[in-house]
Amino acid sequence: MITVHHLRIGRSIFTVWLLEELGAAYELQVYLRDPATFRAPPSLKTIHPLGKSPVIVDDGQVIAESGAITSYLLEKFDTAHMLHPSRDDLKTWATFTQWLHYPEGSVFLPLLIKMLLLRNSQPHVALDTFSAAEIKLHLDHINQQLSDKPFILGEQFSGADIGITYVMSLAKRIGVLNDYPHLLAYLDRNTSRPAFGRAIERAVE
């Protein structure tokens, strides 16, 4: 059975959500952040040297990085290709893979910078200017992609939507999503899915 090393208040809830969408059996090992530093506890480093979450363990195989975990779980469990395209359709698969890795590869950093700036009373003009421009760039891009479709690839929800939902939830949390009603509706649509509710019930509440 897959073990999810789940850090409370973090992106690993989205790995749990994917497992619920897949109907796969899993168990949770829950970790709590240090209340003073908000960092992960040192015990996570016994699972993976970086000490970050999510990390999954499956039959002795340790896998870190959200995109890699998503790819692994889809390859293993989504044999009917309900949540990801077959590699036989290489163009569609390439588009899916691009969107799958886009949240962590491009979108997350400026959102993280903005979040850290909000926690710090000292202004930093260069970082604030950079993050604001990048956030607008990416939110406009995602908004355009979703302008005529309910999900990132079209009419069908996919594993790529989970990562996009993660960065949209972060964007909402730091107050930069208010001017994007279409993205707010997308976020609400995805987090209203039964599998997301089950993930929250099991991993958060």
Side-chain angles (χ1 to χ4, degrees):
M1 180 183 293
I2 289 174
T3 299
V4 180
H5 294 271
H6 168 54
L7 179 62
R8 288 286 298 271
I9 313 178
R11 59 171 61 83
S12 55
I13 184 63
F14 293 86
T15 297
V16 179
W17 177 17
L18 176 59
L19 285 162
E20 290 289 344
E21 292 281 357
L22 292 166
Y26 65 95
E27 60 183 8
L28 289 177
Q29 178 67 50
V30 178
Y31 302 80
L32 300 179
R33 293 182 181 273
D34 185 305
T37 65
F38 209 63
R39 302 299 297 271
S43 55
L44 254 176
K45 288 187 176 179
T46 65
I47 308 303
H48 188 277
L50 294 178
K52 298 182 182 298
S53 175
V55 176
I56 67 169
V57 180
D58 185 25
D59 194 26
Q61 176 77 41
V62 179
I63 305 173
E65 301 298 334
S66 298
I69 291 170
T70 299
S71 293
Y72 177 83
L73 294 177
L74 290 173
E75 290 291 333
K76 179 165 184 171
F77 294 110
D78 188 29
T79 56
H81 296 284
M82 298 299 293
L83 294 175
H84 79 302
S86 168
R87 292 173 188 255
D88 294 339
D89 182 353
L90 190 58
K91 288 186 177 180
T92 303
W93 177 83
T95 300
F96 164 80
T97 302
Q98 172 184 269
W99 284 103
L100 177 65
H101 293 287
Y102 173 62
E104 295 282 353
S106 296
V107 188
F108 177 69
L109 178 59
L111 293 172
L112 175 63
I113 291 172
K114 177 68 173 179
M115 182 174 67
L116 294 175
L117 288 171
L118 289 172
R119 291 178 181 174
N120 192 334
S121 60
Q122 299 297 320
H124 196 300
V125 175
L127 287 177
D128 191 49
T129 301
F130 168 81
S131 64
E134 286 293 303
I135 287 169
K136 185 179 187 309
L137 175 70
H138 291 302
L139 293 183
D140 286 350
H141 178 50
I142 297 167
N143 195 54
Q144 177 61 36
Q145 176 70 10
L146 290 166
S147 63
D148 60 350
K149 56 180 73 73
F151 301 110
I152 206 70
L153 295 182
E155 296 298 317
Q156 184 175 340
F157 178 87
S158 75
D161 287 292
I162 290 179
I164 298 294
T165 302
Y166 165 60
V167 289
M168 292 302 94
S169 67
L170 179 54
K172 182 180 179 181
R173 192 187 320 158
I174 62 176
V176 296
L177 209 58
N178 295 334
D179 293 333
Y180 295 88
H182 199 60
L183 296 184
L184 286 167
Y186 169 79
L187 176 61
D188 183 65
R189 181 161 56 250
N190 291 347
T191 55
S192 295
R193 293 177 66 84
F196 184 82
R198 292 194 300 270
I200 293 296
E201 182 177 355
R202 182 162 178 183
V204 176
E205 297 179 352

